[in-house]
Amino acid sequence: MSRFQPDFKSVALLFAICVTGAVPDASAQGSEGLTGLYSNKSGKLAIVEGSNETLVHFSGSFPQGNSEGTCDCAWTVQKKTATAWTLTQADDPEPWTLRVNPKQFVLESGPTPQCCGAGYPGKDTFARSTSKPLGICKVKASKAVFHASDAANTARKAFVVSGDAVEAYVDPLEPDFLAARFQGPQKATAGLLKREDLDCSADSGPTASKAPVAADKLQPFAGTWVELTRQGKGFVVLKPCSAATRSFTVKPATGEVEVQLGQEATTLKVTSVEPGKGAGAWVLGLTSSDGKPEALQWKTADAAKGTVTVTSPDLFSQSHDYVRQEKQSAFPSKQEKGCDEYER
């Protein structure tokens, strides 16, 4: 059996969260809603979307006479519409196309794809229902700089720092460069990181089976935290018209976090608590009921006032400022405008 191994496998993808700085370039790609790992019977499709660029990786096999041919392809999205993406890579003059349909992705190659063995049929389909979450790695270098996907892997200004927890898909080929994604308060950043700068020894799959952390580790975070909304130079506790004010409650006894989203709530297990970068910084590893991991970045803003800032790629991607419930009276309460229409 022969197996084709492309010489550019060093740019296979790993997906990450946690970075300190991010500078978008002119190739802004927009929404980050499709990041994840998709699969079919013969391969995997990985997507990492950032505000600055989108990276795509495909690995798979196909019949090649009496043996098996393989593909190992890593691209940058050059052009993106709602239904089709143009995929390019530095050492292949022929672009691929990823067709984005409501229920599936259709990957189509050029006439002579450089990243696949001879005889590749030219098309692969991946159901969007096969989407799986990514695992978690940790940055072990003092500073890991993002790199571009060009032939020279040019260094960029964005970087992650030691102790940052990252969500990751670790390619089994153990490439030299890994594609990373950071979800910041306003935007996501994508780019390549050096594999040697990350510790991915932990299980990279879903962590639904992991037990919650011990109660004593969660005690400093215990209680209910109420969302603050910035108004002018300060904060208020906003009362929405037809929903509850966002909040979350840390429960050490059960090792859970209950998140009140306004009109619905969700509960996650806390499966790890680790120090973050700087005083008052922590990383809480959360796991949803379906096994999806989420790294919650926690930072004490003002201990006396009982305020914190939190960030995560999903539940807290847009909501960051919170105050302990017993100290919320120090902040003015304000009713959302336009509530009359909800009472009719």
Side-chain angles (χ1 to χ4, degrees):
M1 178 182 295
S2 66
R3 297 186 67 86
F4 177 81
Q5 298 292 347
D7 59 7
F8 51 84
K9 66 183 181 182
S10 63
V11 293
L13 295 182
L14 173 144
F15 300 87
I17 294 169
C18 290
V19 65
T20 301
V23 179
D25 58 33
S27 59
Q29 299 292 334
S31 170
E32 295 87 39
L34 298 179
T35 293
L37 180 64
Y38 306 84
S39 60
N40 59 21
K41 291 182 179 180
S42 59
K44 296 180 180 180
L45 178 73
I47 297 175
V48 55
E49 290 190 280
S51 302
N52 60 321
E53 68 178 359
T54 297
L55 304 175
V56 178
H57 178 259
F58 165 56
S59 60
S61 61
F62 57 91
Q64 192 181 59
N66 295 325
S67 62
E68 183 181 64
T70 63
C71 294
D72 188 42
C73 311
W75 304 282
T76 300
V77 177
Q78 184 181 56
K79 182 180 179 181
K80 177 188 287 188
T81 69
T83 58
W85 299 358
T86 301
L87 313 178
T88 61
Q89 60 184 23
D91 53 358
D92 190 345
E94 298 177 350
W96 288 49
T97 299
L98 182 67
R99 303 202 179 278
V100 182
N101 300 326
K103 294 185 177 181
Q104 65 181 13
F105 297 106
V106 180
L107 185 63
E108 300 173 352
S109 74
T112 55
Q114 301 295 306
C115 57
C116 292
Y120 175 65
K123 180 184 293 187
D124 263 279
T125 300
F126 298 86
R128 292 176 63 166
S129 61
T130 64
S131 175
K132 290 186 177 181
L134 307 171
I136 295 179
C137 294
K138 194 171 184 179
V139 178
K140 62 182 180 181
S142 59
K143 179 179 179 180
V145 178
F146 277 89
H147 295 257
S149 299
D150 56 17
N153 295 134
T154 305
R156 291 175 170 171
K157 293 182 179 180
F159 60 91
V160 289
V161 296
S162 177
D164 283 343
V166 301
E167 282 188 332
Y169 162 67
V170 184
D171 189 284
L173 294 178
E174 293 290 329
D176 296 330
F177 280 93
L178 314 167
R181 175 182 182 268
F182 161 63
Q183 177 65 62
Q186 302 297 329
K187 60 189 177 183
T189 299
L192 299 178
L193 291 174
K194 289 184 178 180
R195 175 68 175 83
E196 63 186 18
D197 290 340
L198 298 172
D199 178 8
C200 300
S201 58
D203 179 15
S204 60
T207 56
S209 61
K210 288 188 177 181
V213 299
D216 60 331
K217 287 189 175 182
L218 277 183
Q219 198 57 47
F221 311 95
T224 297
W225 302 79
V226 180
E227 183 184 43
L228 295 173
T229 300
R230 183 173 292 278
Q231 186 176 76
K233 296 182 179 180
F235 292 94
V236 300
V237 177
L238 184 65
K239 303 292 185 181
C241 295
S242 60
T245 300
R246 278 189 62 130
S247 65
F248 66 91
T249 302
V250 180
K251 303 177 178 180
T254 59
E256 295 176 325
V257 174
E258 181 180 339
V259 184
Q260 171 54 251
L261 301 172
Q263 294 184 331
E264 59 182 8
T266 185
T267 300
L268 304 92
K269 287 194 299 184
V270 184
T271 53
S272 65
V273 177
E274 298 183 8
K277 189 69 174 179
W282 297 87
V283 180
L284 278 63
L286 308 181
T287 303
S288 65
S289 59
D290 62 359
K292 180 180 179 180
E294 184 163 0
L296 175 67
Q297 308 292 323
W298 178 295
K299 177 75 173 179
T300 299
D302 190 320
K305 293 182 178 180
T307 58
V308 298
T309 58
V310 294
T311 301
S312 77
D314 185 8
L315 291 173
F316 297 94
S317 63
Q318 302 296 325
S319 177
H320 307 292
D321 300 294
Y322 287 80
V323 61
R324 279 193 179 277
Q325 188 176 52
E326 55 267 32
K327 293 192 175 185
Q328 74 175 82
S329 60
F331 296 87
S333 178
K334 184 175 182 180
Q335 182 67 48
E336 183 181 6
K337 295 181 179 180
C339 292
D340 291 346
E341 61 183 273
Y342 291 94
E343 299 174 356
R344 295 173 184 173

